[in-house]
Amino acid sequence: MNQRCESCFSCGMPLTQASDFALGDETATFCTYCVDKEGKLLPFDSILKSNAGYYQESQGLSEQAAMKMAKDLLVSMPAWKNAGV
Amino acid sequence: MQTLTRKAQKTQTRNSLIQQAEALFSKNGISNTTTAHVAKANKVSHGALFVHFPTREDLILSVVASFGDRLAAQMGKRFEDDMALKDLLKAHIQVLSEFEDFYMRLISESQSLPPNIRSIVYAMNASLSYRFYRAAQTQMKDGKVKKMTQPEFFNTWMALINYYVMNRDLFSDKTPILTEIGEDVLRHFLSLIKTF
């Protein structure tokens, strides 16, 4: 039996309700923001940019600091850990 | 008593190490706590700890993840859809006060922690920022709250909270400090942002 993921394997976002999951599928390992319309994982650079934007918009981090912060987090996630990004 | 399976025993030890590490981090500071301290407090060998957490960073990461999950769960319980700004901020204070010992270490030592852990803390804050600002915008539209950007709004709130938590020994003999002064901080913040 598949265990329900508690957080996105790509960005770490908590997966608490069906709408958080990719395509609303609660067996998915990614969140809704990290996949395209077919449920396929988006390219690293695209996710990096949107995550950095999230830090900038919410807390006013500089672009450089936000990009570093997003990258530090993403490269520790299962989807990107050994992907050589 | 039912004998635990090997897997269940392993999970139990892992969870116990996380709990013990959080208690030691809270009491002595994250940087001051070694993996040897955690192993000793949990009565396991130093080597056994590394079976569960290959590096010190992995241990810190697991403690922060566990803390983040519990914090989010508590926030989730208290936060309701369309909750008024004042009630959201009040709930934030209440939840942080429950986790204040570890939260104080986390924000005080933020710059010396592994970078991905700092990223997690700021990601948790990002979610709060969106939630609080959405509630604030409703009142900005009504003209009850001064218009300001999301970072201005959220960072002003966090500056107040974090300042008192980081320096809590200077303001009261009692902890959590947020239980002591939370209402005053909230009242002051609301008076700063209101238009009249």
Side-chain angles (χ1 to χ4, degrees), chain A residues 54-55 57-59 69 72-73, chain B residues 115 119 122 125 129-130 155:
Chain A
Y54 193 49
Y55 286 119
E57 191 179 49
S58 64
Q59 291 156 97
M69 198 164 261
D72 287 338
L73 182 69
Chain B
S119 304
Y122 277 77
N125 283 344
S129 170
Y130 282 105
N155 293 350

Side-chain angles (χ1 to χ4, degrees), chain B residues 146 148 156 160 187-195:
Chain B
K146 288 175 194 164
M148 59 186 95
T156 304
L160 272 173
R187 182 183 40 76
H188 177 56
F189 178 73
L190 293 173
S191 75
L192 285 176
I193 63 169
K194 75 175 184 180
T195 46

Side-chain angles (χ1 to χ4, degrees), chain B residues 39-70:
Chain B
K40 193 180 172 190
N42 214 55
K43 293 182 179 134
V44 298
S45 70
H46 201 190
L49 181 140
F50 286 102
V51 171
H52 296 274
F53 307 100
T55 65
R56 185 171 179 275
E57 187 178 324
D58 288 326
L59 175 63
I60 300 174
L61 190 62
S62 298
V63 173
V64 172
S66 155
F67 163 78
D69 288 346
R70 282 178 289 131

Side-chain angles (χ1 to χ4, degrees), chain B residues 72-121:
Chain B
Q74 286 301 318
M75 300 271 188
K77 270 187 206 166
R78 286 186 173 82
F79 288 178
E80 291 163 19
D81 288 341
D82 301 325
M83 209 172 181
L85 178 65
K86 186 181 175 181
D87 296 325
L88 275 174
L89 298 176
K90 200 173 175 178
H92 186 217
I93 286 177
Q94 282 170 349
V95 174
L96 283 184
S97 69
E98 288 172 27
F99 299 95
E100 192 180 285
D101 290 346
F102 184 67
Y103 180 70
M104 190 264 285
R105 298 296 183 181
L106 201 55
I107 56 173
S108 303
E109 299 182 40
S110 162
Q111 290 192 37
S112 60
L113 294 175
N116 57 333
I117 290 166
R118 202 176 183 199
S119 304
I120 292 172
V121 175

Side-chain angles (χ1 to χ4, degrees), chain B residues 2-15:
Chain B
Q2 206 179 2
T3 313
L4 288 173
T5 62
R6 202 177 166 82
K7 195 180 169 192
Q9 211 167 21
K10 202 175 167 189
T11 307
Q12 199 177 53
T13 307
R14 183 187 159 84
N15 291 341

